[in-house]
Amino acid sequence: MVETRLIDGKAFAEAMRARLKGEVAAFIKEIGVTPGLAVVLVGDDPASAVYVRNKGKQTLEAGMASIEHKLAADTAQEDVLALVRALNADEAVHGILVQLPLPPHIDAQAVLATIDPAKDVDGFHVVNAGRLAVGLDSLVPCTPLGCVMLLKDTLGSLAGLEAVVVGRSNIVGKPLAQLLLREDCTVTIAHSRTKDLREVCRRADILIGAVGRPEMIRGDWIKPGATVIDVGINRITGADGKARLVGDVAFDEAQGIAGAITPVPGGVGPMTIACLLANTLTAARRQRA
């Protein structure tokens, strides 16, 4: 048994936002321009609405301009694309985020491809994905960026460590693997069809659950002393009939085995908006360079 350290993403994100607030104020004083983040919400998905509201609140608290466009669920795709093009051309907007998921009649890839890569603060555009893959400066997806920040804060240098990322999405798994390679890790991307997945996971000094399956990664999949980053946020109903949030890792089983682990909630989640704000400031700096 080892003593498992909890990685407090909430506290890290709060400190990061406080630091960003100072950097934003310095940028405004030097350049005379307020970084602006535009968020486009199509439809009335409750979770998306809460997320957008939190983004707007934290954007303003950081001293940035928050521009919100809320469109009806039946808005035509061409009207969404026209709005994105207008935001591309707006010099007061330095970052553009189109909240996903979009209604079924709208092609999300077409919308994301229309965003100016220089303003793509979600880091989803193929230009940013390609630049990340070949080691050039890019805007990086917020969740993977937050994961690496938490890892470096916990472990210091990541060089030479073996990392296993369970999940191969374009939003988390693939960009996270690229970031870990940049930190000189040896990286394996695993997924639901990986042979002997348990044994692959047990090799990892750094184990990342990003597969979207509640508590899929069991305690005996974890190498003793490994650092575990749980990206999953899954809502399940317990034996008592009450809903609760769990990650992709069986948290209770990981206790006493993992050297450090992010809880769910309160781990990776709070980092996402903090990294979004950081990306917006980065985008503003580059556009004014």
Side-chain angles (χ1 to χ4, degrees):
M1 294 284 286
V2 301
E3 184 175 348
T4 301
R5 171 187 168 188
L6 284 186
I7 301 172
D8 190 343
K10 184 177 180 182
F12 189 100
E14 286 176 357
M16 183 176 170
R17 291 198 308 271
R19 187 170 64 252
L20 278 168
K21 185 174 183 178
E23 293 180 13
V24 169
F27 177 84
I28 294 170
K29 184 176 180 180
E30 179 186 355
I31 307 297
V33 172
T34 300
L37 173 61
V39 178
V40 178
L41 175 64
V42 185
D44 51 7
D45 178 78
S48 292
V50 170
Y51 195 41
V52 167
R53 187 162 60 247
N54 288 338
K55 286 174 182 172
K57 179 174 179 285
Q58 292 185 29
T59 301
L60 293 173
E61 288 175 350
M64 300 184 188
S66 176
I67 304 114
E68 293 184 6
H69 292 272
K70 297 180 180 179
L71 307 178
D74 59 357
T75 301
Q77 176 170 308
E78 185 50 46
D79 291 337
V80 177
L81 295 177
L83 172 58
V84 171
R85 294 187 194 105
L87 294 172
N88 285 342
D90 188 342
E91 292 187 358
V93 173
H94 303 94
I96 301 170
L97 183 150
V98 178
Q99 182 66 39
L100 302 177
L102 290 165
H105 69 282
I106 296 177
D107 181 350
Q109 285 303 317
V111 174
L112 296 177
T114 303
I115 298 173
D116 180 350
K119 297 187 177 186
D120 168 38
V121 287
D122 255 341
F124 294 162
H125 196 286
V126 291
V127 168
N128 281 317
R131 291 180 67 87
L132 175 62
V134 298
L136 297 175
D137 285 340
S138 64
L139 290 169
V140 178
C142 300
T143 299
L145 183 60
C147 290
V148 172
M149 287 180 176
L150 291 177
L151 283 168
K152 291 173 74 172
D153 184 63
T154 302
L155 298 172
S157 172
L158 308 183
L161 298 180
E162 183 157 4
V164 173
V165 181
V166 185
R168 51 182 166 176
S169 73
N170 292 332
I171 293 174
V172 179
K174 292 176 186 176
L176 182 48
Q178 297 291 347
L179 289 172
L180 290 168
L181 283 171
R182 188 179 288 186
E183 297 295 331
D184 297 319
C185 291
T186 300
V187 183
T188 299
I189 299 180
H191 44 80
S192 59
R193 296 191 179 184
T194 298
K195 290 183 179 179
D196 299 322
L197 180 57
R198 172 182 176 274
E199 294 307 312
V200 172
C201 291
R202 280 184 62 84
R203 297 200 313 252
D205 303 305
I206 297 169
L207 179 59
I208 296 163
V211 73
R213 295 190 180 184
E215 300 183 330
M216 172 180 166
I217 297 172
R218 312 309 302 186
D220 63 359
W221 294 25
I222 299 169
K223 176 182 179 179
T227 299
V228 179
I229 302 291
D230 193 347
V231 179
I233 301 179
N234 310 285
R235 188 176 297 276
I236 65 169
T237 302
D240 57 2
K242 295 181 180 179
R244 61 189 179 95
L245 292 178
V246 299
D248 291 351
V249 179
F251 182 83
D252 290 345
E253 294 179 16
Q255 295 288 320
I257 301 174
I261 189 171
T262 55
V264 177
V268 174
M271 293 296 295
T272 301
I273 295 180
C275 289
L276 174 67
L277 300 178
N279 276 354
T280 302
L281 180 57
T282 295
R285 283 170 170 161
R286 291 175 180 170
Q287 288 165 47
R288 291 289 168 174

PDB file of all heavy atoms in Angstrom, residues 120-152:
ATOM      1  N   ASP A 120      -8.820  29.879 -32.880  1.00  0.00           N
ATOM      2  CA  ASP A 120      -9.391  28.590 -32.497  1.00  0.00           C
ATOM      3  C   ASP A 120      -8.909  28.196 -31.097  1.00  0.00           C
ATOM      4  O   ASP A 120      -8.028  27.350 -30.935  1.00  0.00           O
ATOM      5  CB  ASP A 120      -8.982  27.544 -33.543  1.00  0.00           C
ATOM      6  CG  ASP A 120      -9.272  26.114 -33.117  1.00  0.00           C
ATOM      7  OD1 ASP A 120     -10.317  25.882 -32.486  1.00  0.00           O
ATOM      8  OD2 ASP A 120      -8.421  25.241 -33.412  1.00  0.00           O
ATOM      9  N   VAL A 121      -9.494  28.804 -30.078  1.00  0.00           N
ATOM     10  CA  VAL A 121      -9.009  28.599 -28.712  1.00  0.00           C
ATOM     11  C   VAL A 121      -9.350  27.220 -28.155  1.00  0.00           C
ATOM     12  O   VAL A 121      -8.827  26.830 -27.098  1.00  0.00           O
ATOM     13  CB  VAL A 121      -9.522  29.712 -27.761  1.00  0.00           C
ATOM     14  CG1 VAL A 121      -8.789  31.016 -28.032  1.00  0.00           C
ATOM     15  CG2 VAL A 121     -11.028  29.903 -27.895  1.00  0.00           C
ATOM     16  N   ASP A 122     -10.203  26.464 -28.830  1.00  0.00           N
ATOM     17  CA  ASP A 122     -10.436  25.075 -28.450  1.00  0.00           C
ATOM     18  C   ASP A 122      -9.347  24.162 -28.995  1.00  0.00           C
ATOM     19  O   ASP A 122      -9.208  23.024 -28.548  1.00  0.00           O
ATOM     20  CB  ASP A 122     -11.800  24.600 -28.976  1.00  0.00           C
ATOM     21  CG  ASP A 122     -12.842  24.500 -27.875  1.00  0.00           C
ATOM     22  OD1 ASP A 122     -12.451  24.432 -26.690  1.00  0.00           O
ATOM     23  OD2 ASP A 122     -14.039  24.484 -28.186  1.00  0.00           O
ATOM     24  N   GLY A 123      -8.596  24.644 -29.989  1.00  0.00           N
ATOM     25  CA  GLY A 123      -7.517  23.842 -30.566  1.00  0.00           C
ATOM     26  C   GLY A 123      -7.991  22.680 -31.412  1.00  0.00           C
ATOM     27  O   GLY A 123      -7.243  21.718 -31.610  1.00  0.00           O
ATOM     28  N   PHE A 124      -9.221  22.750 -31.958  1.00  0.00           N
ATOM     29  CA  PHE A 124      -9.784  21.621 -32.697  1.00  0.00           C
ATOM     30  C   PHE A 124      -9.547  21.695 -34.201  1.00  0.00           C
ATOM     31  O   PHE A 124      -9.763  20.713 -34.908  1.00  0.00           O
ATOM     32  CB  PHE A 124     -11.298  21.526 -32.457  1.00  0.00           C
ATOM     33  CG  PHE A 124     -11.682  21.197 -31.038  1.00  0.00           C
ATOM     34  CD1 PHE A 124     -12.977  21.433 -30.579  1.00  0.00           C
ATOM     35  CD2 PHE A 124     -10.765  20.653 -30.153  1.00  0.00           C
ATOM     36  CE1 PHE A 124     -13.345  21.120 -29.286  1.00  0.00           C
ATOM     37  CE2 PHE A 124     -11.122  20.344 -28.838  1.00  0.00           C
ATOM     38  CZ  PHE A 124     -12.412  20.584 -28.406  1.00  0.00           C
ATOM     39  N   HIS A 125      -9.164  22.866 -34.719  1.00  0.00           N
ATOM     40  CA  HIS A 125      -8.978  23.011 -36.170  1.00  0.00           C
ATOM     41  C   HIS A 125      -7.842  22.105 -36.634  1.00  0.00           C
ATOM     42  O   HIS A 125      -6.842  21.917 -35.933  1.00  0.00           O
ATOM     43  CB  HIS A 125      -8.666  24.479 -36.500  1.00  0.00           C
ATOM     44  CG  HIS A 125      -8.820  24.815 -37.949  1.00  0.00           C
ATOM     45  ND1 HIS A 125      -7.912  24.415 -38.895  1.00  0.00           N
ATOM     46  CD2 HIS A 125      -9.773  25.523 -38.614  1.00  0.00           C
ATOM     47  CE1 HIS A 125      -8.292  24.859 -40.083  1.00  0.00           C
ATOM     48  NE2 HIS A 125      -9.432  25.523 -39.943  1.00  0.00           N
ATOM     49  N   VAL A 126      -7.984  21.566 -37.861  1.00  0.00           N
ATOM     50  CA  VAL A 126      -6.960  20.635 -38.359  1.00  0.00           C
ATOM     51  C   VAL A 126      -5.600  21.316 -38.489  1.00  0.00           C
ATOM     52  O   VAL A 126      -4.552  20.648 -38.363  1.00  0.00           O
ATOM     53  CB  VAL A 126      -7.371  20.015 -39.710  1.00  0.00           C
ATOM     54  CG1 VAL A 126      -8.549  19.074 -39.533  1.00  0.00           C
ATOM     55  CG2 VAL A 126      -7.665  21.071 -40.761  1.00  0.00           C
ATOM     56  N   VAL A 127      -5.575  22.612 -38.704  1.00  0.00           N
ATOM     57  CA  VAL A 127      -4.293  23.321 -38.779  1.00  0.00           C
ATOM     58  C   VAL A 127      -3.597  23.283 -37.417  1.00  0.00           C
ATOM     59  O   VAL A 127      -2.395  23.002 -37.328  1.00  0.00           O
ATOM     60  CB  VAL A 127      -4.491  24.770 -39.260  1.00  0.00           C
ATOM     61  CG1 VAL A 127      -3.215  25.590 -39.053  1.00  0.00           C
ATOM     62  CG2 VAL A 127      -4.902  24.795 -40.728  1.00  0.00           C
ATOM     63  N   ASN A 128      -4.328  23.543 -36.363  1.00  0.00           N
ATOM     64  CA  ASN A 128      -3.727  23.481 -35.029  1.00  0.00           C
ATOM     65  C   ASN A 128      -3.351  22.051 -34.659  1.00  0.00           C
ATOM     66  O   ASN A 128      -2.291  21.813 -34.049  1.00  0.00           O
ATOM     67  CB  ASN A 128      -4.680  24.076 -33.991  1.00  0.00           C
ATOM     68  CG  ASN A 128      -4.650  25.589 -34.003  1.00  0.00           C
ATOM     69  OD1 ASN A 128      -3.586  26.197 -34.094  1.00  0.00           O
ATOM     70  ND2 ASN A 128      -5.819  26.214 -33.931  1.00  0.00           N
ATOM     71  N   ALA A 129      -4.185  21.073 -35.023  1.00  0.00           N
ATOM     72  CA  ALA A 129      -3.856  19.671 -34.753  1.00  0.00           C
ATOM     73  C   ALA A 129      -2.584  19.269 -35.494  1.00  0.00           C
ATOM     74  O   ALA A 129      -1.712  18.582 -34.937  1.00  0.00           O
ATOM     75  CB  ALA A 129      -5.018  18.767 -35.168  1.00  0.00           C
ATOM     76  N   GLY A 130      -2.455  19.715 -36.738  1.00  0.00           N
ATOM     77  CA  GLY A 130      -1.271  19.392 -37.517  1.00  0.00           C
ATOM     78  C   GLY A 130      -0.018  20.049 -36.977  1.00  0.00           C
ATOM     79  O   GLY A 130       1.049  19.426 -36.901  1.00  0.00           O
ATOM     80  N   ARG A 131      -0.143  21.322 -36.586  1.00  0.00           N
ATOM     81  CA  ARG A 131       1.014  22.019 -36.022  1.00  0.00           C
ATOM     82  C   ARG A 131       1.468  21.368 -34.717  1.00  0.00           C
ATOM     83  O   ARG A 131       2.667  21.224 -34.468  1.00  0.00           O
ATOM     84  CB  ARG A 131       0.679  23.498 -35.812  1.00  0.00           C
ATOM     85  CG  ARG A 131       0.507  24.284 -37.104  1.00  0.00           C
ATOM     86  CD  ARG A 131       0.173  25.750 -36.833  1.00  0.00           C
ATOM     87  NE  ARG A 131       1.292  26.446 -36.218  1.00  0.00           N
ATOM     88  CZ  ARG A 131       2.282  27.039 -36.887  1.00  0.00           C
ATOM     89  NH1 ARG A 131       2.300  27.003 -38.215  1.00  0.00           N
ATOM     90  NH2 ARG A 131       3.263  27.648 -36.247  1.00  0.00           N
ATOM     91  N   LEU A 132       0.515  20.946 -33.899  1.00  0.00           N
ATOM     92  CA  LEU A 132       0.872  20.240 -32.661  1.00  0.00           C
ATOM     93  C   LEU A 132       1.600  18.940 -32.990  1.00  0.00           C
ATOM     94  O   LEU A 132       2.615  18.603 -32.352  1.00  0.00           O
ATOM     95  CB  LEU A 132      -0.397  19.946 -31.844  1.00  0.00           C
ATOM     96  CG  LEU A 132      -0.217  19.102 -30.586  1.00  0.00           C
ATOM     97  CD1 LEU A 132       0.683  19.788 -29.576  1.00  0.00           C
ATOM     98  CD2 LEU A 132      -1.583  18.783 -29.954  1.00  0.00           C
ATOM     99  N   ALA A 133       1.115  18.222 -33.990  1.00  0.00           N
ATOM    100  CA  ALA A 133       1.696  16.922 -34.331  1.00  0.00           C
ATOM    101  C   ALA A 133       3.139  17.030 -34.806  1.00  0.00           C
ATOM    102  O   ALA A 133       3.936  16.111 -34.570  1.00  0.00           O
ATOM    103  CB  ALA A 133       0.849  16.225 -35.399  1.00  0.00           C
ATOM    104  N   VAL A 134       3.486  18.142 -35.463  1.00  0.00           N
ATOM    105  CA  VAL A 134       4.860  18.281 -35.974  1.00  0.00           C
ATOM    106  C   VAL A 134       5.724  19.168 -35.087  1.00  0.00           C
ATOM    107  O   VAL A 134       6.852  19.504 -35.452  1.00  0.00           O
ATOM    108  CB  VAL A 134       4.869  18.790 -37.437  1.00  0.00           C
ATOM    109  CG1 VAL A 134       4.168  17.811 -38.342  1.00  0.00           C
ATOM    110  CG2 VAL A 134       4.249  20.184 -37.554  1.00  0.00           C
ATOM    111  N   GLY A 135       5.192  19.551 -33.908  1.00  0.00           N
ATOM    112  CA  GLY A 135       6.013  20.259 -32.935  1.00  0.00           C
ATOM    113  C   GLY A 135       6.096  21.756 -33.108  1.00  0.00           C
ATOM    114  O   GLY A 135       6.983  22.398 -32.536  1.00  0.00           O
ATOM    115  N   LEU A 136       5.166  22.341 -33.891  1.00  0.00           N
ATOM    116  CA  LEU A 136       5.139  23.795 -34.052  1.00  0.00           C
ATOM    117  C   LEU A 136       4.195  24.424 -33.043  1.00  0.00           C
ATOM    118  O   LEU A 136       3.326  23.759 -32.478  1.00  0.00           O
ATOM    119  CB  LEU A 136       4.689  24.153 -35.478  1.00  0.00           C
ATOM    120  CG  LEU A 136       5.585  23.686 -36.618  1.00  0.00           C
ATOM    121  CD1 LEU A 136       4.944  24.021 -37.960  1.00  0.00           C
ATOM    122  CD2 LEU A 136       6.974  24.302 -36.520  1.00  0.00           C
ATOM    123  N   ASP A 137       4.364  25.736 -32.804  1.00  0.00           N
ATOM    124  CA  ASP A 137       3.450  26.451 -31.925  1.00  0.00           C
ATOM    125  C   ASP A 137       2.024  26.332 -32.455  1.00  0.00           C
ATOM    126  O   ASP A 137       1.787  26.471 -33.665  1.00  0.00           O
ATOM    127  CB  ASP A 137       3.839  27.930 -31.838  1.00  0.00           C
ATOM    128  CG  ASP A 137       5.067  28.156 -30.978  1.00  0.00           C
ATOM    129  OD1 ASP A 137       5.395  27.272 -30.169  1.00  0.00           O
ATOM    130  OD2 ASP A 137       5.704  29.222 -31.131  1.00  0.00           O
ATOM    131  N   SER A 138       1.104  26.079 -31.563  1.00  0.00           N
ATOM    132  CA  SER A 138      -0.304  25.947 -31.954  1.00  0.00           C
ATOM    133  C   SER A 138      -1.171  26.277 -30.756  1.00  0.00           C
ATOM    134  O   SER A 138      -0.679  26.393 -29.630  1.00  0.00           O
ATOM    135  CB  SER A 138      -0.597  24.521 -32.435  1.00  0.00           C
ATOM    136  OG  SER A 138      -0.407  23.595 -31.370  1.00  0.00           O
ATOM    137  N   LEU A 139      -2.459  26.439 -31.007  1.00  0.00           N
ATOM    138  CA  LEU A 139      -3.414  26.494 -29.911  1.00  0.00           C
ATOM    139  C   LEU A 139      -3.814  25.058 -29.599  1.00  0.00           C
ATOM    140  O   LEU A 139      -4.216  24.301 -30.486  1.00  0.00           O
ATOM    141  CB  LEU A 139      -4.624  27.345 -30.305  1.00  0.00           C
ATOM    142  CG  LEU A 139      -4.328  28.840 -30.435  1.00  0.00           C
ATOM    143  CD1 LEU A 139      -5.494  29.584 -31.091  1.00  0.00           C
ATOM    144  CD2 LEU A 139      -4.024  29.458 -29.066  1.00  0.00           C
ATOM    145  N   VAL A 140      -3.678  24.681 -28.341  1.00  0.00           N
ATOM    146  CA  VAL A 140      -3.791  23.283 -27.920  1.00  0.00           C
ATOM    147  C   VAL A 140      -5.127  23.062 -27.221  1.00  0.00           C
ATOM    148  O   VAL A 140      -5.554  23.903 -26.416  1.00  0.00           O
ATOM    149  CB  VAL A 140      -2.627  22.926 -26.968  1.00  0.00           C
ATOM    150  CG1 VAL A 140      -2.748  21.493 -26.484  1.00  0.00           C
ATOM    151  CG2 VAL A 140      -1.289  23.143 -27.663  1.00  0.00           C
ATOM    152  N   PRO A 141      -5.818  21.944 -27.483  1.00  0.00           N
ATOM    153  CA  PRO A 141      -7.065  21.660 -26.769  1.00  0.00           C
ATOM    154  C   PRO A 141      -6.910  21.794 -25.255  1.00  0.00           C
ATOM    155  O   PRO A 141      -5.904  21.367 -24.677  1.00  0.00           O
ATOM    156  CB  PRO A 141      -7.390  20.220 -27.191  1.00  0.00           C
ATOM    157  CG  PRO A 141      -6.802  20.104 -28.559  1.00  0.00           C
ATOM    158  CD  PRO A 141      -5.535  20.909 -28.496  1.00  0.00           C
ATOM    159  N   CYS A 142      -7.924  22.373 -24.635  1.00  0.00           N
ATOM    160  CA  CYS A 142      -7.802  22.817 -23.238  1.00  0.00           C
ATOM    161  C   CYS A 142      -7.647  21.669 -22.242  1.00  0.00           C
ATOM    162  O   CYS A 142      -6.841  21.751 -21.308  1.00  0.00           O
ATOM    163  CB  CYS A 142      -9.022  23.660 -22.871  1.00  0.00           C
ATOM    164  SG  CYS A 142      -9.214  25.134 -23.904  1.00  0.00           S
ATOM    165  N   THR A 143      -8.412  20.605 -22.412  1.00  0.00           N
ATOM    166  CA  THR A 143      -8.338  19.511 -21.441  1.00  0.00           C
ATOM    167  C   THR A 143      -6.967  18.835 -21.447  1.00  0.00           C
ATOM    168  O   THR A 143      -6.366  18.641 -20.378  1.00  0.00           O
ATOM    169  CB  THR A 143      -9.468  18.498 -21.677  1.00  0.00           C
ATOM    170  OG1 THR A 143     -10.730  19.165 -21.514  1.00  0.00           O
ATOM    171  CG2 THR A 143      -9.386  17.346 -20.698  1.00  0.00           C
ATOM    172  N   PRO A 144      -6.415  18.455 -22.618  1.00  0.00           N
ATOM    173  CA  PRO A 144      -5.060  17.893 -22.606  1.00  0.00           C
ATOM    174  C   PRO A 144      -4.019  18.848 -22.030  1.00  0.00           C
ATOM    175  O   PRO A 144      -3.122  18.426 -21.294  1.00  0.00           O
ATOM    176  CB  PRO A 144      -4.786  17.610 -24.094  1.00  0.00           C
ATOM    177  CG  PRO A 144      -6.118  17.461 -24.706  1.00  0.00           C
ATOM    178  CD  PRO A 144      -7.011  18.391 -23.961  1.00  0.00           C
ATOM    179  N   LEU A 145      -4.151  20.137 -22.362  1.00  0.00           N
ATOM    180  CA  LEU A 145      -3.213  21.123 -21.832  1.00  0.00           C
ATOM    181  C   LEU A 145      -3.270  21.145 -20.313  1.00  0.00           C
ATOM    182  O   LEU A 145      -2.236  21.148 -19.627  1.00  0.00           O
ATOM    183  CB  LEU A 145      -3.547  22.508 -22.404  1.00  0.00           C
ATOM    184  CG  LEU A 145      -2.633  23.662 -22.035  1.00  0.00           C
ATOM    185  CD1 LEU A 145      -1.207  23.399 -22.487  1.00  0.00           C
ATOM    186  CD2 LEU A 145      -3.157  24.962 -22.657  1.00  0.00           C
ATOM    187  N   GLY A 146      -4.479  21.114 -19.757  1.00  0.00           N
ATOM    188  CA  GLY A 146      -4.642  21.091 -18.304  1.00  0.00           C
ATOM    189  C   GLY A 146      -4.072  19.834 -17.677  1.00  0.00           C
ATOM    190  O   GLY A 146      -3.468  19.878 -16.595  1.00  0.00           O
ATOM    191  N   CYS A 147      -4.237  18.695 -18.344  1.00  0.00           N
ATOM    192  CA  CYS A 147      -3.682  17.431 -17.822  1.00  0.00           C
ATOM    193  C   CYS A 147      -2.166  17.512 -17.685  1.00  0.00           C
ATOM    194  O   CYS A 147      -1.597  17.095 -16.661  1.00  0.00           O
ATOM    195  CB  CYS A 147      -4.045  16.280 -18.757  1.00  0.00           C
ATOM    196  SG  CYS A 147      -5.791  15.810 -18.759  1.00  0.00           S
ATOM    197  N   VAL A 148      -1.508  18.033 -18.712  1.00  0.00           N
ATOM    198  CA  VAL A 148      -0.046  18.108 -18.673  1.00  0.00           C
ATOM    199  C   VAL A 148       0.412  19.097 -17.601  1.00  0.00           C
ATOM    200  O   VAL A 148       1.401  18.849 -16.900  1.00  0.00           O
ATOM    201  CB  VAL A 148       0.513  18.481 -20.066  1.00  0.00           C
ATOM    202  CG1 VAL A 148       2.011  18.753 -20.002  1.00  0.00           C
ATOM    203  CG2 VAL A 148       0.239  17.346 -21.051  1.00  0.00           C
ATOM    204  N   MET A 149      -0.301  20.194 -17.437  1.00  0.00           N
ATOM    205  CA  MET A 149       0.042  21.137 -16.377  1.00  0.00           C
ATOM    206  C   MET A 149      -0.025  20.469 -15.006  1.00  0.00           C
ATOM    207  O   MET A 149       0.869  20.642 -14.161  1.00  0.00           O
ATOM    208  CB  MET A 149      -0.903  22.341 -16.415  1.00  0.00           C
ATOM    209  CG  MET A 149      -0.665  23.291 -17.555  1.00  0.00           C
ATOM    210  SD  MET A 149      -1.841  24.678 -17.486  1.00  0.00           S
ATOM    211  CE  MET A 149      -1.254  25.671 -18.858  1.00  0.00           C
ATOM    212  N   LEU A 150      -1.087  19.697 -14.768  1.00  0.00           N
ATOM    213  CA  LEU A 150      -1.226  19.006 -13.481  1.00  0.00           C
ATOM    214  C   LEU A 150      -0.125  17.961 -13.292  1.00  0.00           C
ATOM    215  O   LEU A 150       0.412  17.795 -12.191  1.00  0.00           O
ATOM    216  CB  LEU A 150      -2.607  18.347 -13.387  1.00  0.00           C
ATOM    217  CG  LEU A 150      -3.805  19.286 -13.277  1.00  0.00           C
ATOM    218  CD1 LEU A 150      -5.108  18.481 -13.266  1.00  0.00           C
ATOM    219  CD2 LEU A 150      -3.720  20.172 -12.042  1.00  0.00           C
ATOM    220  N   LEU A 151       0.220  17.263 -14.371  1.00  0.00           N
ATOM    221  CA  LEU A 151       1.287  16.261 -14.282  1.00  0.00           C
ATOM    222  C   LEU A 151       2.626  16.901 -13.937  1.00  0.00           C
ATOM    223  O   LEU A 151       3.360  16.406 -13.064  1.00  0.00           O
ATOM    224  CB  LEU A 151       1.396  15.499 -15.607  1.00  0.00           C
ATOM    225  CG  LEU A 151       0.332  14.434 -15.859  1.00  0.00           C
ATOM    226  CD1 LEU A 151       0.383  13.962 -17.305  1.00  0.00           C
ATOM    227  CD2 LEU A 151       0.543  13.247 -14.911  1.00  0.00           C
ATOM    228  N   LYS A 152       2.952  18.004 -14.595  1.00  0.00           N
ATOM    229  CA  LYS A 152       4.243  18.657 -14.341  1.00  0.00           C
ATOM    230  C   LYS A 152       4.279  19.252 -12.939  1.00  0.00           C
ATOM    231  O   LYS A 152       5.324  19.259 -12.276  1.00  0.00           O
ATOM    232  CB  LYS A 152       4.502  19.714 -15.413  1.00  0.00           C
ATOM    233  CG  LYS A 152       4.753  19.112 -16.783  1.00  0.00           C
ATOM    234  CD  LYS A 152       4.852  20.157 -17.875  1.00  0.00           C
ATOM    235  CE  LYS A 152       6.169  20.900 -17.808  1.00  0.00           C
ATOM    236  NZ  LYS A 152       6.343  21.787 -18.988  1.00  0.00           N
TER     237      LYS A 152
END
